[in-house]
Amino acid sequence: MASFEKVSVQELGRLWDEGMASGSSVDGDQAFARIKSKLDAKVAERQVAKTLRFQPETESMKRK
């Protein structure tokens, strides 16, 4: 059985190779801005859904 260190080095090598094969590098600031934008949109979507779930009944619904 392989030792933890040997497996870790192999995995690091595999990840390195995968990264090198993925193409050109991306500017970090642009990448983080893109990720933040997507996360902000998901947070806003969840807040709207949460708000809609907890809205009090409208007057027309109470009369029924």
Side-chain angles (χ1 to χ4, degrees):
M1 180 176 243
S3 70
F4 176 77
E5 292 83 10
K6 186 174 182 180
V7 171
S8 297
V9 170
Q10 289 172 341
E11 178 67 3
L12 183 60
R14 186 191 69 75
L15 292 170
W16 175 271
D17 292 341
E18 185 179 312
M20 294 302 290
S22 69
S24 301
S25 63
V26 177
D27 178 64
D29 290 336
Q30 290 175 356
F32 282 113
R34 219 174 31 249
I35 292 168
K36 184 180 182 312
S37 175
K38 289 179 182 179
L39 289 174
D40 287 345
K42 284 185 179 184
V43 168
E45 184 179 297
R46 287 183 180 178
Q47 287 175 338
V48 167
K50 184 178 178 182
T51 300
L52 292 175
R53 275 191 310 220
F54 295 111
Q55 279 185 342
E57 294 178 5
T58 63
E59 288 300 316
S60 63
M61 293 177 94
K62 289 181 183 178
R63 293 183 194 151
K64 290 185 179 182

